[in-house]
Amino acid sequence: MSNVNTEATNMLPLLKKKLAFLSGGKDRRSGLILTIPLSSDQTSMEELSATLDYLLSIPSEKCKARGFTVIVDGRKSQWNIVKTVVLMLQNVIPAEVSLVCVVKPDEFWDKKVTHFCFWKEKDRLGFEVILVSATKLTRYIEPCQLTDDFGGSLDYDHNDWLNKRLVFEKFTKESTSLLDELSIINDSDKSSSVDKDKSTDCALLPSFDPETVLQTGHELLSELQQRRFNGSEGGGGGQGGPAWCPMEEELLAQPQVMKLLDSLREQYTRYQELCRQRNKRTQLDEIHTKVMQVVTWLQGPGSELLKTHQAIGDSIRAAQTLQQKHEEIESQHSEWFAVYVELNQQIAALLSAGEEEEVVELKALQQQLSDVCYQQAAQLENRQNVLQSAQGFHSTTQELSQQLDGLLGMLCADVAPADGAAIQQNLKLLEEKLQTVEAGLTSLRQKGGLLMEQMCSQPQWSLEETERPAGEQQDNVQHIQAVMEEMQLRKQRCEDMVDVRRLKMLQMVQLFKCEEDALQAVEWLGELLDALLKTHIKMGDDAQETRTMLDKHRKFVDVAQSTYDYGRQLLQATVVLCQSLRCTTRSSGDTLPRLNRVWKQFSVSAEERQQRLELALNFHTTAEKVLEQGCFEAETLDEVDSTGKTLLDRLTMPVIFPDGSEQFFGSPSETATAAECIRDRLLLVEERRLQLQGARLPDEEEEGVLNGHEQRLDVIGEELSEKEEQEEEEEEEEEVVEQEDEEVEVGQQDEELERSKQDC
């Protein structure tokens, strides 16, 4: 490519005017088409000449040898200007011009004058000039090689061409300068490689960034190749020739860009290797300096911080304060550990590509750095574990102390439960609190043992540095042991008090149980009395049945006697328990009087029942002797009569209790049913008596005797009926009285409710 004396940057305002341009189209001889679009304004011939000089400097000599076809667009200009431009071409590019096509306006110029003038100047000009309209320009140039201004299909963007031209020239200038600088830098390094300490940082900085220049070149080359590829697919040129775009290699010298890129990559690769070697040497020195800084701080101030902070505190708040201080120490160490990690990565990277002597030095530095960092990290971790265990120990101590205080407060409070269930609940709560305290003390011992073990297993300092940490460690161990001993003593005192309270509460449970069982005995005895008076009414139909009932009655009385004795024993036990508990406010109350009263009532009723059964047994035995064995002695008959009447009288009589109250056995109807059996048997005996007397007395006397007996039996029946009616009347009167009492109580409750409303 020919040398470019003028750069597009310097001619940018002029080139933007688009006084002339190479569209990239070709004529049928493959010559380039140069277009000069004349405007209606006056065109400066100097500017046009300068533009043509610049444009004609772009193509290669080979391309220029094929000649140019110049299109002078005079449709918007005057004939004199067109003529001047054509004549100027003779002075600017006479040898390169093959054909000049002047595009004329339709019927504007005088054809004869213009044709004659160009024909006359043909030999002197050295190239052919033709006048042609825009529509007939395709006779000389293919439409695909003409721009749309002349009805062609060739795309041309002058601004885009200008921008690419500026990029190309800028890349050419920068890459050429950069190649010279890199060559000087690379060559100078050979002479200065012996002196490794000499600083050549300034010489290693070229004027342009190689990466940026290379990227610009690659983008430019890619654009050129892409535009050429797209242009080749846009359609064939004239006479089968390929389509041509403004950025083809003939215009922008694609081979030159590729050559510059190859040379630049080669020099830049050497430059990078040079920089890498020098950077490696500098990096080694920096790594060594940083390693010594890390080691010096960790073995100096870092170790001193850990040695001066060995306490564990005497409370959870103190331990938390120490934990915050330790976190600050860890934060300071973290900064140096981050430097260690970075250095370790750098050393590892250098080891993979370092030389033998560098590898030995790097491994020694890496080993020294790792040993110091791991040792310091182990001490930090152990200190962190000790502080966490200390917080757990103090937290458990605080919780255990609160649990012991709660248990002691519960033990010091008076016990005044309402019943046995409340005592059982209180006792259960007491046992749960004691178990919680026991579990807390066990946990405290475990955490205390773990804490002392961790403190004893801390990394040892050097002999001259261990005096102060050892003294603090001994104080810490003594403090832990003292706390555990104190908690053990407090727990033991609480256990002793719990034993006393447990015994007292068990006695109270027993007291409530005895009282409840005594009340139950009273209820049972009352139920036995009620059953005796309401269900034990029958006297038996014969001697055998009465005898059986008498045996059952005695067993029934034995059960009642056992119940009474059981109640008495329970009440005696309550007295003993109250004395043991010094509970003067509690006593048997009205339970003992109630028990004695019910027992006396039962005893009187049972005695009356037994006497009636014995009388009934005597009656049935004597009556059966008369009826079944035929014993008709007068004494026997009188005894039957006397016993039966006495029994009937006893059945109608109530039981009189010691307090003067009365109670009948069963209802009047049940009493009448029991008496009916006695009366029937009396009638049978009386009939036998009459039969016996009838056999011995005349008829008149027998009739008189029978009438007397019947009258006596009627009297007995009337007396029983009167007693039944009297009992029914008494029951009705009692019901009326109860209803009146209920009405009075309801009235009183209404009055009290009304007074309460008024008070509100």
Side-chain angles (χ1 to χ4, degrees), residues 219-238:
E219 292 177 354
L220 178 60
L221 182 61
S222 176
E223 181 68 20
L224 294 176
Q225 293 173 345
Q226 184 68 26
R227 290 173 64 86
R228 184 179 184 185
F229 177 75
N230 292 338
S232 65
E233 291 183 351

Side-chain angles (χ1 to χ4, degrees), residues 182-193 203 274 278:
L182 291 179
S183 179
I184 295 173
I185 293 173
N186 293 333
D187 294 339
S188 63
D189 182 68
K190 296 180 181 179
S191 59
S192 61
S193 59
L274 172 63
R278 293 188 176 182

Side-chain angles (χ1 to χ4, degrees), residues 78-210:
Q78 299 177 0
W79 164 248
N80 293 331
I81 296 175
V82 172
K83 181 179 179 181
T84 303
V85 171
V86 172
L87 294 175
M88 185 187 67
L89 291 177
Q90 180 184 14
N91 299 325
V92 178
I93 48 172
E96 287 85 357
V97 177
S98 300
L99 175 65
V100 176
C101 296
V102 178
V103 180
K104 64 179 181 176
D106 295 337
E107 297 181 356
F108 184 77
W109 296 331
D110 188 349
K111 294 182 180 179
K112 294 182 179 180
V113 175
T114 55
H115 184 270
F116 172 78
C117 291
F118 284 123
W119 179 262
K120 184 174 60 175
E121 299 292 334
K122 177 179 179 181
D123 296 336
R124 187 171 61 85
L125 291 174
F127 49 79
E128 183 181 1
V129 179
I130 61 173
L131 292 174
V132 64
S133 62
T135 57
K136 297 180 180 180
L137 189 60
T138 54
R139 295 179 180 178
Y140 306 96
I141 302 172
E142 294 294 333
C144 64
Q145 301 299 325
L146 293 173
T147 61
D148 57 354
D149 295 335
F150 306 107
S153 60
L154 180 64
D155 292 333
Y156 174 75
D157 187 344
H158 186 70
N159 292 328
D160 181 67
W161 174 87
L162 184 57
N163 291 333
K164 293 300 185 296
R165 186 64 192 175
L166 291 173
V167 172
F168 169 75
E169 291 184 356
K170 180 176 180 294
F171 168 72
T172 304
K173 179 180 178 181
E174 291 180 354
S175 60
T176 304
S177 176
L178 183 60
L179 280 172
D180 295 338
E181 293 179 2
L182 291 179
S183 179
I184 295 173
I185 293 173
N186 293 333
D187 294 339
S188 63
D189 182 68
K190 296 180 181 179
S191 59
S192 61
S193 59
V194 179
D195 188 2
K196 296 183 179 179
D197 297 332
K198 183 179 180 181
S199 176
T200 57
D201 292 340
C202 295
L204 291 176
L205 296 177
S207 302
F208 302 101
D209 180 21

Side-chain angles (χ1 to χ4, degrees), residues 388-457:
Q388 289 180 352
S389 299
Q391 291 185 39
F393 176 78
H394 292 311
S395 177
T396 305
T397 301
Q398 182 176 345
E399 292 177 0
L400 180 58
S401 180
Q402 294 174 354
Q403 293 169 359
L404 288 169
D405 292 341
L407 180 59
L408 183 61
M410 184 177 179
L411 292 171
C412 294
D414 293 334
V415 180
D419 51 21
I423 294 179
Q424 291 286 1
Q425 184 66 25
N426 199 347
L427 184 60
K428 181 181 179 181
L429 180 61
L430 191 64
E431 295 291 346
E432 290 177 354
K433 285 185 174 293
L434 185 60
Q435 291 177 1
T436 304
V437 168
E438 181 66 31
L441 183 60
T442 302
S443 177
L444 182 66
R445 290 170 181 163
Q446 293 175 352
K447 293 181 178 180
L450 176 62
L451 179 57
M452 290 187 290
E453 181 181 355
Q454 289 177 345
M455 289 190 298
C456 294
S457 62

Side-chain angles (χ1 to χ4, degrees), residues 507 510-511 514 572-582:
Q507 288 179 344
Q510 190 175 3
L511 173 62
C514 290
Q572 291 176 359
T574 57
V575 174
V576 175
L577 290 173
C578 286
Q579 292 175 354
S580 176
L581 294 171
R582 298 179 183 178

